[in-house]
mmCIF file of all heavy atoms in Angstrom:
data_model
loop_
_atom_site.group_PDB
_atom_site.id
_atom_site.type_symbol
_atom_site.label_atom_id
_atom_site.label_comp_id
_atom_site.label_asym_id
_atom_site.label_seq_id
_atom_site.Cartn_x
_atom_site.Cartn_y
_atom_site.Cartn_z
ATOM 1 N N ILE A 1 -33.310 -38.173 22.569
ATOM 2 C CA ILE A 1 -33.111 -39.569 22.127
ATOM 3 C C ILE A 1 -31.839 -40.189 22.802
ATOM 4 O O ILE A 1 -30.832 -39.487 22.963
ATOM 5 C CB ILE A 1 -32.943 -39.659 20.608
ATOM 6 C CG1 ILE A 1 -32.897 -41.128 20.139
ATOM 7 C CG2 ILE A 1 -31.701 -38.861 20.113
ATOM 8 C CD1 ILE A 1 -32.987 -41.273 18.629
ATOM 9 N N THR A 2 -31.976 -41.335 23.244
ATOM 10 C CA THR A 2 -30.987 -42.096 23.945
ATOM 11 C C THR A 2 -30.937 -43.515 23.460
ATOM 12 O O THR A 2 -31.983 -43.997 22.903
ATOM 13 C CB THR A 2 -30.987 -42.124 25.486
ATOM 14 O OG1 THR A 2 -32.270 -42.687 25.812
ATOM 15 C CG2 THR A 2 -31.061 -40.667 25.968
ATOM 16 N N ARG A 3 -29.812 -44.233 23.742
ATOM 17 C CA ARG A 3 -29.775 -45.717 23.334
ATOM 18 C C ARG A 3 -28.989 -46.483 24.326
ATOM 19 O O ARG A 3 -28.185 -45.927 25.124
ATOM 20 C CB ARG A 3 -29.193 -45.903 21.966
ATOM 21 C CG ARG A 3 -27.772 -45.466 21.795
ATOM 22 C CD ARG A 3 -27.275 -45.499 20.270
ATOM 23 N NE ARG A 3 -27.170 -46.910 19.798
ATOM 24 C CZ ARG A 3 -27.169 -47.161 18.493
ATOM 25 N NH1 ARG A 3 -27.119 -46.271 17.623
ATOM 26 N NH2 ARG A 3 -27.031 -48.439 18.168
ATOM 27 N N ASN A 4 -29.226 -47.833 24.310
ATOM 28 C CA ASN A 4 -28.577 -48.731 25.155
ATOM 29 C C ASN A 4 -27.939 -49.759 24.207
ATOM 30 O O ASN A 4 -28.704 -50.616 23.733
ATOM 31 C CB ASN A 4 -29.443 -49.366 26.211
ATOM 32 C CG ASN A 4 -28.748 -50.337 27.128
ATOM 33 O OD1 ASN A 4 -27.705 -50.960 26.771
ATOM 34 N ND2 ASN A 4 -29.104 -50.332 28.341
ATOM 35 N N ASN A 5 -26.668 -49.662 23.875
ATOM 36 C CA ASN A 5 -26.044 -50.564 22.902
ATOM 37 C C ASN A 5 -26.066 -52.045 23.400
ATOM 38 O O ASN A 5 -26.175 -52.975 22.536
ATOM 39 C CB ASN A 5 -24.649 -50.030 22.644
ATOM 40 C CG ASN A 5 -24.615 -48.793 21.886
ATOM 41 O OD1 ASN A 5 -25.555 -48.429 21.173
ATOM 42 N ND2 ASN A 5 -23.509 -48.108 21.948
ATOM 43 N N ALA A 6 -25.858 -52.239 24.693
ATOM 44 C CA ALA A 6 -25.905 -53.653 25.163
ATOM 45 C C ALA A 6 -27.220 -54.348 24.981
ATOM 46 O O ALA A 6 -27.295 -55.482 24.786
ATOM 47 C CB ALA A 6 -25.430 -53.634 26.620
ATOM 48 N N ALA A 7 -28.277 -53.557 25.066
ATOM 49 C CA ALA A 7 -29.701 -54.157 24.947
ATOM 50 C C ALA A 7 -30.260 -53.874 23.563
ATOM 51 O O ALA A 7 -31.329 -54.343 23.404
ATOM 52 C CB ALA A 7 -30.538 -53.464 26.052
ATOM 53 N N ASN A 8 -29.556 -53.192 22.713
ATOM 54 C CA ASN A 8 -30.087 -52.842 21.344
ATOM 55 C C ASN A 8 -31.504 -52.198 21.488
ATOM 56 O O ASN A 8 -32.396 -52.549 20.748
ATOM 57 C CB ASN A 8 -30.183 -54.194 20.482
ATOM 58 C CG ASN A 8 -28.850 -54.653 20.077
ATOM 59 O OD1 ASN A 8 -27.830 -53.972 19.981
ATOM 60 N ND2 ASN A 8 -28.773 -55.997 20.037
ATOM 61 N N THR A 9 -31.512 -51.191 22.341
ATOM 62 C CA THR A 9 -32.728 -50.348 22.468
ATOM 63 C C THR A 9 -32.432 -48.882 22.213
ATOM 64 O O THR A 9 -31.336 -48.425 22.345
ATOM 65 C CB THR A 9 -33.317 -50.547 23.849
ATOM 66 O OG1 THR A 9 -32.355 -50.119 24.763
ATOM 67 C CG2 THR A 9 -33.766 -52.021 24.106
ATOM 68 N N VAL A 10 -33.481 -48.219 21.784
ATOM 69 C CA VAL A 10 -33.430 -46.709 21.584
ATOM 70 C C VAL A 10 -34.664 -46.211 22.231
ATOM 71 O O VAL A 10 -35.771 -46.785 22.047
ATOM 72 C CB VAL A 10 -33.232 -46.373 20.173
ATOM 73 C CG1 VAL A 10 -34.471 -46.798 19.323
ATOM 74 C CG2 VAL A 10 -33.110 -44.868 20.077
ATOM 75 N N SER A 11 -34.606 -45.027 22.897
ATOM 76 C CA SER A 11 -35.681 -44.439 23.512
ATOM 77 C C SER A 11 -35.833 -42.964 23.065
ATOM 78 O O SER A 11 -34.907 -42.349 22.610
ATOM 79 C CB SER A 11 -35.593 -44.416 25.039
ATOM 80 O OG SER A 11 -35.487 -45.722 25.548
ATOM 81 N N LEU A 12 -37.069 -42.432 23.243
ATOM 82 C CA LEU A 12 -37.361 -41.028 22.884
ATOM 83 C C LEU A 12 -38.173 -40.463 24.004
ATOM 84 O O LEU A 12 -39.293 -40.900 24.160
ATOM 85 C CB LEU A 12 -38.143 -40.883 21.590
ATOM 86 C CG LEU A 12 -38.330 -39.476 21.055
ATOM 87 C CD1 LEU A 12 -37.077 -38.810 20.632
ATOM 88 C CD2 LEU A 12 -39.365 -39.445 19.948
ATOM 89 N N GLN A 13 -37.684 -39.572 24.791
ATOM 90 C CA GLN A 13 -38.360 -38.793 25.820
ATOM 91 C C GLN A 13 -38.866 -37.582 25.193
ATOM 92 O O GLN A 13 -38.181 -36.768 24.696
ATOM 93 C CB GLN A 13 -37.381 -38.586 27.021
ATOM 94 C CG GLN A 13 -38.015 -37.752 28.120
ATOM 95 C CD GLN A 13 -39.178 -38.608 28.765
ATOM 96 O OE1 GLN A 13 -39.030 -39.808 28.991
ATOM 97 N NE2 GLN A 13 -40.289 -38.012 29.027
ATOM 98 N N MET A 14 -40.250 -37.492 25.285
ATOM 99 C CA MET A 14 -40.858 -36.332 24.698
ATOM 100 C C MET A 14 -41.557 -35.474 25.820
ATOM 101 O O MET A 14 -42.489 -35.939 26.484
ATOM 102 C CB MET A 14 -41.968 -36.792 23.699
ATOM 103 C CG MET A 14 -41.526 -37.781 22.624
ATOM 104 S SD MET A 14 -42.766 -38.213 21.404
ATOM 105 C CE MET A 14 -43.891 -39.226 22.584
ATOM 106 N N ASN A 15 -41.014 -34.255 25.879
ATOM 107 C CA ASN A 15 -41.562 -33.300 26.959
ATOM 108 C C ASN A 15 -42.204 -32.103 26.250
ATOM 109 O O ASN A 15 -42.106 -31.906 25.076
ATOM 110 C CB ASN A 15 -40.416 -32.797 27.861
ATOM 111 C CG ASN A 15 -39.736 -33.922 28.623
ATOM 112 O OD1 ASN A 15 -40.418 -34.834 28.949
ATOM 113 N ND2 ASN A 15 -38.406 -33.743 28.834
ATOM 114 N N SER A 16 -43.038 -31.442 26.991
ATOM 115 C CA SER A 16 -43.754 -30.258 26.572
ATOM 116 C C SER A 16 -44.474 -30.586 25.321
ATOM 117 O O SER A 16 -44.384 -29.834 24.249
ATOM 118 C CB SER A 16 -42.759 -29.053 26.410
ATOM 119 O OG SER A 16 -42.090 -28.754 27.561
ATOM 120 N N LEU A 17 -45.290 -31.593 25.224
ATOM 121 C CA LEU A 17 -45.943 -32.053 23.991
ATOM 122 C C LEU A 17 -46.869 -30.938 23.475
ATOM 123 O O LEU A 17 -47.593 -30.279 24.322
ATOM 124 C CB LEU A 17 -46.618 -33.370 24.278
ATOM 125 C CG LEU A 17 -45.754 -34.651 24.367
ATOM 126 C CD1 LEU A 17 -46.414 -35.706 24.950
ATOM 127 C CD2 LEU A 17 -45.287 -34.970 22.909
ATOM 128 N N LYS A 18 -46.954 -30.860 22.227
ATOM 129 C CA LYS A 18 -47.791 -29.984 21.459
ATOM 130 C C LYS A 18 -48.812 -30.803 20.630
ATOM 131 O O LYS A 18 -48.454 -31.890 20.254
ATOM 132 C CB LYS A 18 -47.036 -29.012 20.595
ATOM 133 C CG LYS A 18 -46.017 -28.191 21.269
ATOM 134 C CD LYS A 18 -45.186 -27.392 20.269
ATOM 135 C CE LYS A 18 -44.203 -26.555 20.990
ATOM 136 N NZ LYS A 18 -43.381 -25.685 20.000
ATOM 137 N N PRO A 19 -49.894 -30.171 20.317
ATOM 138 C CA PRO A 19 -50.867 -30.979 19.410
ATOM 139 C C PRO A 19 -50.267 -31.397 18.157
ATOM 140 O O PRO A 19 -50.666 -32.539 17.628
ATOM 141 C CB PRO A 19 -52.054 -29.924 19.242
ATOM 142 C CG PRO A 19 -52.039 -29.154 20.519
ATOM 143 C CD PRO A 19 -50.539 -28.938 20.851
ATOM 144 N N GLU A 20 -49.393 -30.607 17.555
ATOM 145 C CA GLU A 20 -48.856 -30.936 16.333
ATOM 146 C C GLU A 20 -47.825 -32.088 16.416
ATOM 147 O O GLU A 20 -47.321 -32.628 15.411
ATOM 148 C CB GLU A 20 -48.079 -29.818 15.637
ATOM 149 C CG GLU A 20 -47.105 -29.058 16.585
ATOM 150 C CD GLU A 20 -47.724 -27.860 17.284
ATOM 151 O OE1 GLU A 20 -48.824 -27.947 17.716
ATOM 152 O OE2 GLU A 20 -47.102 -26.831 17.333
ATOM 153 N N ASP A 21 -47.506 -32.568 17.641
ATOM 154 C CA ASP A 21 -46.632 -33.760 17.781
ATOM 155 C C ASP A 21 -47.487 -35.121 17.697
ATOM 156 O O ASP A 21 -46.826 -36.160 17.640
ATOM 157 C CB ASP A 21 -46.017 -33.814 19.303
ATOM 158 C CG ASP A 21 -45.062 -32.709 19.388
ATOM 159 O OD1 ASP A 21 -44.297 -32.349 18.455
ATOM 160 O OD2 ASP A 21 -45.071 -32.094 20.565
ATOM 161 N N ALA A 22 -48.752 -34.952 17.608
ATOM 162 C CA ALA A 22 -49.528 -36.167 17.459
ATOM 163 C C ALA A 22 -49.284 -36.851 16.142
ATOM 164 O O ALA A 22 -49.373 -36.147 15.087
ATOM 165 C CB ALA A 22 -51.093 -35.801 17.586
ATOM 166 N N ALA A 23 -48.971 -38.140 16.189
ATOM 167 C CA ALA A 23 -48.605 -38.896 14.979
ATOM 168 C C ALA A 23 -48.350 -40.260 15.288
ATOM 169 O O ALA A 23 -48.343 -40.687 16.454
ATOM 170 C CB ALA A 23 -47.268 -38.271 14.340
ATOM 171 N N ALA A 24 -48.240 -41.151 14.312
ATOM 172 C CA ALA A 24 -47.726 -42.454 14.447
ATOM 173 C C ALA A 24 -46.163 -42.467 14.472
ATOM 174 O O ALA A 24 -45.583 -41.983 13.501
ATOM 175 C CB ALA A 24 -48.133 -43.380 13.381
ATOM 176 N N TYR A 25 -45.573 -42.885 15.549
ATOM 177 C CA TYR A 25 -44.132 -42.854 15.651
ATOM 178 C C TYR A 25 -43.523 -44.128 15.427
ATOM 179 O O TYR A 25 -43.974 -45.222 15.967
ATOM 180 C CB TYR A 25 -43.684 -42.395 17.040
ATOM 181 C CG TYR A 25 -43.850 -40.906 17.380
ATOM 182 C CD1 TYR A 25 -45.165 -40.336 17.418
ATOM 183 C CD2 TYR A 25 -42.796 -40.058 17.465
ATOM 184 C CE1 TYR A 25 -45.262 -38.996 17.532
ATOM 185 C CE2 TYR A 25 -42.845 -38.702 17.633
ATOM 186 C CZ TYR A 25 -44.182 -38.177 17.692
ATOM 187 O OH TYR A 25 -44.302 -36.810 17.890
ATOM 188 N N SER A 26 -42.505 -44.301 14.537
ATOM 189 C CA SER A 26 -41.898 -45.544 14.172
ATOM 190 C C SER A 26 -40.410 -45.501 14.411
ATOM 191 O O SER A 26 -39.771 -44.497 14.245
ATOM 192 C CB SER A 26 -42.147 -45.839 12.619
ATOM 193 O OG SER A 26 -43.570 -45.915 12.424
ATOM 194 N N CYS A 27 -39.855 -46.680 14.731
ATOM 195 C CA CYS A 27 -38.479 -46.866 15.010
ATOM 196 C C CYS A 27 -37.846 -47.370 13.830
ATOM 197 O O CYS A 27 -38.368 -48.315 13.229
ATOM 198 C CB CYS A 27 -38.326 -47.771 16.284
ATOM 199 S SG CYS A 27 -36.595 -48.236 16.682
ATOM 200 N N LYS A 28 -36.619 -46.810 13.483
ATOM 201 C CA LYS A 28 -35.901 -47.523 12.339
ATOM 202 C C LYS A 28 -34.412 -47.731 12.911
ATOM 203 O O LYS A 28 -33.873 -46.986 13.691
ATOM 204 C CB LYS A 28 -35.779 -46.486 11.138
ATOM 205 C CG LYS A 28 -35.025 -47.157 9.996
ATOM 206 C CD LYS A 28 -34.975 -46.028 8.852
ATOM 207 C CE LYS A 28 -33.914 -45.065 9.092
ATOM 208 N NZ LYS A 28 -33.657 -44.232 7.826
ATOM 209 N N ALA A 29 -33.926 -48.872 12.434
ATOM 210 C CA ALA A 29 -32.515 -49.257 12.811
ATOM 211 C C ALA A 29 -31.724 -49.814 11.632
ATOM 212 O O ALA A 29 -32.340 -50.562 10.896
ATOM 213 C CB ALA A 29 -32.534 -50.212 14.048
ATOM 214 N N ASN A 30 -30.520 -49.347 11.519
ATOM 215 C CA ASN A 30 -29.641 -49.954 10.514
ATOM 216 C C ASN A 30 -28.979 -51.185 11.221
ATOM 217 O O ASN A 30 -28.117 -51.070 12.084
ATOM 218 C CB ASN A 30 -28.640 -48.861 10.090
ATOM 219 C CG ASN A 30 -27.774 -49.380 8.921
ATOM 220 O OD1 ASN A 30 -26.538 -49.283 9.003
ATOM 221 N ND2 ASN A 30 -28.371 -49.847 7.880
ATOM 222 N N VAL A 31 -29.298 -52.331 10.712
ATOM 223 C CA VAL A 31 -28.958 -53.620 11.324
ATOM 224 C C VAL A 31 -28.321 -54.579 10.400
ATOM 225 O O VAL A 31 -28.668 -54.778 9.256
ATOM 226 C CB VAL A 31 -30.296 -54.257 11.939
ATOM 227 C CG1 VAL A 31 -29.921 -55.541 12.764
ATOM 228 C CG2 VAL A 31 -31.042 -53.270 12.776
ATOM 229 N N ARG A 32 -27.323 -55.345 10.948
ATOM 230 C CA ARG A 32 -26.896 -56.509 10.331
ATOM 231 C C ARG A 32 -27.091 -57.743 11.140
ATOM 232 O O ARG A 32 -26.753 -57.783 12.242
ATOM 233 C CB ARG A 32 -25.336 -56.319 10.050
ATOM 234 C CG ARG A 32 -24.753 -57.425 9.215
ATOM 235 C CD ARG A 32 -23.294 -57.361 8.884
ATOM 236 N NE ARG A 32 -22.796 -58.346 7.978
ATOM 237 C CZ ARG A 32 -21.527 -58.560 7.682
ATOM 238 N NH1 ARG A 32 -20.607 -57.853 8.223
ATOM 239 N NH2 ARG A 32 -21.268 -59.606 6.873
ATOM 240 N N ALA A 33 -27.795 -58.618 10.423
ATOM 241 C CA ALA A 33 -28.066 -59.944 11.077
ATOM 242 C C ALA A 33 -27.144 -61.025 10.476
ATOM 243 O O ALA A 33 -26.368 -60.812 9.593
ATOM 244 C CB ALA A 33 -29.522 -60.318 10.890
ATOM 245 N N THR A 34 -27.228 -62.287 11.025
ATOM 246 C CA THR A 34 -26.429 -63.326 10.490
ATOM 247 C C THR A 34 -26.691 -63.696 9.056
ATOM 248 O O THR A 34 -25.973 -64.469 8.450
ATOM 249 C CB THR A 34 -26.584 -64.580 11.410
ATOM 250 O OG1 THR A 34 -27.983 -64.984 11.577
ATOM 251 C CG2 THR A 34 -26.041 -64.281 12.778
ATOM 252 N N THR A 35 -27.874 -63.252 8.585
ATOM 253 C CA THR A 35 -28.180 -63.507 7.113
ATOM 254 C C THR A 35 -27.311 -62.760 6.162
ATOM 255 O O THR A 35 -27.243 -62.990 5.007
ATOM 256 C CB THR A 35 -29.643 -63.151 6.895
ATOM 257 O OG1 THR A 35 -29.965 -61.801 7.322
ATOM 258 C CG2 THR A 35 -30.574 -64.137 7.492
ATOM 259 N N GLY A 36 -26.497 -61.730 6.761
ATOM 260 C CA GLY A 36 -25.457 -61.131 5.934
ATOM 261 C C GLY A 36 -25.669 -59.600 5.734
ATOM 262 O O GLY A 36 -24.676 -58.884 6.120
#
């Protein structure tokens, strides 16, 4: 897992994939917006 703070992005490089890795992958972020 890596991130780019300037761009507000996060990446996940997945190597040597196995059948048990099959899934729906979701991104979560702890964020503060101008709404407060």
Side-chain angles (χ1 to χ4, degrees):
I1 186 170
T2 57
R3 66 187 290 165
N4 183 327
N5 291 335
N8 291 326
T9 60
V10 62
S11 298
L12 185 70
Q13 180 63 43
M14 305 184 294
N15 298 328
S16 302
L17 283 164
K18 303 176 179 180
E20 53 263 43
D21 294 320
Y25 284 72
S26 298
C27 174
K28 185 181 78 172
N30 187 231
V31 182
R32 188 180 183 187
T34 55
T35 52

